[in-house]
Amino acid sequence: QVQLQESGPGLVKPSETLSLTCGVSGGSISGYYWSWIRQPAGKGLEWIGRIYSTVSTNYNPSLKSRVTMSVDMSKNQSSLKLSSVTAADTAIYYCARDRGIRGGEDYNMDVWGQGITVTVSS
Amino acid sequence: SSELTQDPAVSVALGQTVRITCQGDSLRRYSAGWFQQKPGQAPVLVLYGKNNRPSGIADRFSASTSGDTSSLTITGTQAEDEADYYCNSRDSSGNRVFGGGTKLTVL
């Protein structure tokens, strides 16, 4: 079955760019949206955005100015970049497969990675 | 508005039925998804679309929608159902949004 694994630095300095990768194993990255979600400690889930193939993106309006997502088909992975980070960006970051709308049904985010903790601190 | 509102906490006696609600304008047009999250674990999709369960999800979980409110119902709640539950939906642009989450306590 499809498995997702987030990777990247666990510590990022304020004002720098957070860069994470989501490796997809057991299936192809094509044909699906790939979402990023984050969760500050003790708080709820926040959808960051999603990317379909290499061209179509949706970003949370509150983060849009700082977010860039991409897909590398050859490596079967998606990536997230979040610029100008502050302590408020400290959270667990999850990637998830989003199957979107199919046959009138929203199949939503059905596979999630285990998450990676990212701390923003000097 | 694409905001989704959930009650922060709900409790239910073991074996009883509980309903967790999610309210928002987007639910008049788009279906909600429901996610279960246990401490230290990633969220798990338990319901999607109008009322569909992914493979492996117990049939005691069901969903319904009326107007701007979607509900997750657990019939015959088990101890292992104690968790945080999040709804989500989308807007016309394809952006997703999560509700604030409901902490379910099984008594």
Side-chain angles (χ1 to χ4, degrees):
Chain A
Q1 71 277 23
V2 175
Q3 293 185 314
L4 310 183
Q5 179 68 58
E6 302 89 349
S7 61
L11 181 64
V12 182
K13 289 182 169 56
S15 80
E16 295 190 344
T17 296
L18 177 160
S19 295
L20 298 175
T21 297
C22 176
V24 180
S25 59
S28 175
I29 199 167
S30 62
Y32 300 97
Y33 293 92
W34 299 93
S35 281
W36 288 90
I37 304 97
R38 69 181 183 179
Q39 184 173 36
K43 296 187 178 181
L45 301 172
E46 179 179 32
W47 181 78
I48 300 170
R50 67 180 185 177
I51 183 167
Y52 183 86
S53 184
T54 59
V55 294
S56 175
T57 56
N58 298 102
Y59 296 146
N60 185 324
S62 68
L63 298 169
K64 187 174 184 176
S65 64
R66 298 195 291 131
V67 172
T68 303
M69 294 182 182
S70 61
V71 166
D72 187 329
M73 296 290 193
S74 66
K75 295 183 178 179
N76 227 36
Q77 64 185 31
S78 69
S79 296
L80 166 70
K81 292 186 185 299
L82 181 65
S83 64
S84 305
V85 297
T86 69
D89 296 310
T90 295
I92 298 174
Y93 285 75
Y94 297 99
C95 63
R97 185 179 75 174
D98 186 339
R99 298 181 68 190
I101 308 292
R102 297 168 187 245
E105 286 278 28
D106 186 351
Y107 281 71
N108 222 300
M109 292 176 275
D110 66 334
V111 181
W112 291 61
Q114 64 184 25
I116 183 169
T117 298
V118 178
T119 301
V120 178
S121 175
S122 56
Chain B
S1 169
S2 58
E3 294 181 356
L4 299 176
T5 301
Q6 298 183 242
D7 291 328
V10 171
S11 62
V12 60
L14 185 67
Q16 296 304 300
T17 296
V18 64
R19 177 178 294 180
I20 298 171
T21 61
C22 175
Q23 183 179 25
D25 287 342
S26 63
L27 299 178
R28 296 183 182 278
R29 183 175 179 183
Y30 303 106
S31 58
W34 289 93
F35 299 84
Q36 177 192 70
Q37 186 180 34
K38 296 182 179 180
Q41 298 182 19
V44 174
L45 180 68
V46 294
L47 292 161
Y48 67 92
K50 293 179 179 64
N51 181 20
N52 302 289
R53 286 175 284 105
S55 175
I57 301 301
D59 61 5
R60 62 179 178 272
F61 290 90
S62 64
S64 61
T65 299
S66 177
D68 68 349
T69 301
S70 290
S71 301
L72 176 159
T73 300
I74 309 175
T75 304
T77 307
Q78 302 299 302
E80 62 262 31
D81 299 332
E82 185 163 287
D84 293 328
Y85 289 86
Y86 294 90
C87 63
N88 87 339
S89 188
R90 53 162 287 173
D91 64 17
S92 57
S93 299
N95 297 322
R96 294 218 182 261
V97 62
F98 284 98
T102 298
K103 181 178 182 61
L104 176 65
T105 300
V106 181
L107 304 172

